[in-house]
Amino acid sequence: MEILRLILLFVHILGFAALLGGLLVQAREPVKRVNELMRDGAGTAVLAGLALVGVLEADDVSVNHAKIGVKLVIGLVILVLVMANMRKERISQALWLGLLLLTLANIAVAVFWSPAHGSY
């Protein structure tokens, strides 16, 4: 189970890296849009995160459900916003900034919401 957990954690991190990269690559561009990297990264991060929690629960690892709930809600908001704007030629600067801030917030929750007594 440990190898599966590590693989899912790796894929989860890659998903967020793709999402963040898809956002940051447009930082200096005057026209922002939802790109494939953002779509794939958001979907991968959410699905790998859910699978990771399932593996942890199946292995009787203590999971911080509040932290996971916050990350899931933020991840789903990002995913819905990305999917709803996928086919648009451009998105507003405010939406782009919102997606960036939500992505950074989700990463911050993962890093700074410290696990209590070894829980995730």
Side-chain angles (χ1 to χ4, degrees):
M1 277 296 217
E2 181 64 11
I3 291 174
L4 180 57
R5 183 192 71 81
L6 291 173
I7 291 170
L8 287 170
L9 180 60
F10 181 72
V11 172
H12 183 62
I13 292 169
L14 285 179
F16 272 107
L19 173 60
L20 186 59
L23 285 160
L24 291 178
V25 75
Q26 301 179 63
R28 294 189 178 186
E29 299 296 323
V31 174
K32 311 283 195 264
R33 61 181 286 273
V34 173
N35 57 40
E36 293 79 13
L37 200 54
M38 293 165 58
R39 178 200 61 208
D40 295 346
T44 299
V46 168
L47 290 176
L50 288 172
L52 180 59
V53 171
V55 167
L56 291 170
E57 290 278 357
D59 209 18
D60 267 344
V61 174
S62 178
V63 176
N64 184 336
H65 294 285
K67 175 181 176 178
I68 298 304
V70 169
K71 284 186 55 60
L72 179 60
V73 167
I74 295 171
L76 288 175
V77 168
I78 292 169
L79 185 59
V80 166
L81 288 172
V82 164
M83 295 308 292
N85 290 283
M86 187 67 207
R87 294 193 176 167
K88 293 184 179 175
E89 289 293 319
R90 64 185 312 159
I91 59 172
S92 69
Q93 181 74 22
L95 177 57
W96 178 84
L97 184 59
L99 287 168
L100 179 63
L101 292 175
L102 284 168
T103 301
L104 293 175
N106 214 354
I107 294 167
V109 167
V111 172
F112 296 115
W113 190 330
S114 60
H117 310 299
S119 67
Y120 285 87

